[in-house]
Amino acid sequence: MANDDSIGLVLSGGGAKGAFQAGVWKAMCELGLADRVRVISGTSVGAINGAAFATLRDPEKLCRFWRTRVGEIATPNLTNLTAEMLISAITDVLSGKPFPFHGLLDRSALDQILSSLLPTRWPTEAPGVFATSLECRAGLLATLNPGCYARQCFSLNEELDADKRILRILASAAIPWGFDPVEIDGRRYVDGGWDEMGGENIPVTPILKRCPDIRTIIVVRCNCVADEPEKIDVSIPHETALVEVRPSSTLRGPLDLAGDLLSSANLLTGVPIIGTLARSIDAISRQIRIWSGALAFDGDCAKRFINQGYADGMEALRPLRPKETLNW
């Protein structure tokens, strides 16, 4: 059983916006909260960060990775891609067929980065980490039907083989159409944060099911636009305190200007007929701003996201600070 001070940490997916989580983790270390984390549940980039949080004692090492090597993650894999192939692929997917070609990004660089960043042996005193994924039950990349996927939860600390552990992290972060599905023991997996296909981008469930005695859960979100956070579609027990850290302002990326221009349609939402179109355009602009930050694999953006995560983490988590700050 855990003591009353134990914390469960939940890290959402969000692509390049994972740098925000690195800033939050730095704040948690300074506030003496990192020592109380007993288990971490993450998906996609949250799984990458979760493994790093649990095994690296120096939060600055992870922040340095985000500032200096984040640009290596999204390496294009477009050598054999033609416009005809892309059109055919989109048509096949919309008609319910499996996706016919490999992902647009090469994950070999990410594989190498994780191998150099994470220790070969999981430290005995480190928290446990759950990495969530979706198992494809139909085709190379299952059709756009939630029934073709099944949730999978990997326990990283229980996997003794370092290469297999990294494979499970890559499976959690295999963004559909971005990276190839990851094959493990003859089964294929994609990003666990794909909500539309039954995933859980804020993976609270593994902690609630596997560590029900934890009474404080900290959730670090990434995909927030202004004051509209993602919903947590899980019932939280009344005796469990849920503390959320989310960006105080949108984590902006290179396409945000387009999203801002489209959002001006808000001015027309009260106009009949035009208002309906305007609301649709505004929904699109929100998605552009979400994905713009998620695709901002750039050192300058990462530095900005880290700083915002640190500031927002300090603001949200200071009330949880113990009377006597513990050291690692």
Side-chain angles (χ1 to χ4, degrees), residues 94-285:
L94 293 178
S95 65
K97 297 180 181 179
F99 203 63
F101 67 94
H102 296 301
L104 301 178
L105 302 175
D106 181 357
R107 65 162 167 263
S108 59
L110 178 57
D111 191 341
Q112 295 172 7
I113 288 172
L114 292 176
S115 297
S116 63
L117 182 68
L118 302 176
T120 302
R121 178 176 297 180
W122 198 273
T124 56
E125 73 281 5
V129 176
F130 299 128
T132 67
S133 187
L134 284 174
E135 180 188 348
C136 305
R137 295 288 179 84
L140 176 64
L141 179 56
T143 58
L144 298 181
N145 180 343
C148 294
Y149 299 85
R151 289 186 186 181
Q152 173 68 48
C153 181
F154 298 114
S155 180
L156 300 184
N157 51 295
E158 294 179 359
E159 176 53 68
L160 301 181
D161 186 293
D163 292 335
K164 292 181 179 179
R165 188 185 306 131
I166 289 176
L167 201 60
R168 281 151 176 73
I169 297 173
L170 293 174
S172 181
I175 303 171
W177 299 286
F179 295 112
D180 291 355
V182 174
E183 184 170 325
I184 300 175
D185 297 330
R187 299 182 178 184
R188 290 186 171 91
Y189 299 90
V190 294
D191 196 302
W194 197 7
D195 281 331
E196 293 82 359
M197 294 299 113
E200 187 179 15
N201 198 48
I202 305 175
V204 180
T205 301
I207 293 181
L208 294 178
K209 286 188 174 181
R210 303 194 184 196
C211 305
D213 54 319
I214 287 182
R215 292 291 173 262
T216 300
I217 297 178
I218 296 175
V219 172
V220 184
R221 301 172 177 266
C222 290
N223 292 331
C224 298
V225 176
D227 58 349
E228 299 180 36
E230 296 174 276
K231 295 181 180 179
I232 298 179
D233 296 323
V234 179
S235 178
I236 307 298
H238 66 85
E239 67 272 14
T240 301
L242 188 70
V243 182
E244 298 187 45
V245 183
R246 56 187 178 91
S248 54
S249 59
T250 304
L251 299 176
R252 298 177 63 84
L255 300 178
D256 274 295
L257 179 59
D260 292 342
L261 293 175
L262 285 173
S263 69
S264 62
N266 268 331
L267 299 175
L268 303 175
T269 55
V271 182
I273 302 178
I274 295 179
T276 301
L277 175 62
R279 284 188 291 273
S280 298
I281 293 175
D282 187 57
I284 295 173
S285 74

Side-chain angles (χ1 to χ4, degrees), residues 37 40 247 291:
V37 174
I40 302 173
W291 281 101

Side-chain angles (χ1 to χ4, degrees), residues 23-33 245 307-321:
V24 174
W25 181 247
K26 181 180 179 182
M28 290 182 66
C29 290
E30 293 186 12
L31 292 172
L33 300 176
V245 183
N307 291 339
Q308 186 169 343
Y310 177 78
D312 291 343
M314 280 289 188
E315 179 69 22
L317 301 176
R318 188 173 283 111
L320 297 180
R321 184 176 185 175

Side-chain angles (χ1 to χ4, degrees), residues 297-317:
F297 292 101
D298 172 80
D300 290 336
C301 286
K303 183 177 180 180
R304 177 161 45 85
F305 294 171
I306 290 169
N307 291 339
Q308 186 169 343
Y310 177 78
D312 291 343
M314 280 289 188
E315 179 69 22
L317 301 176

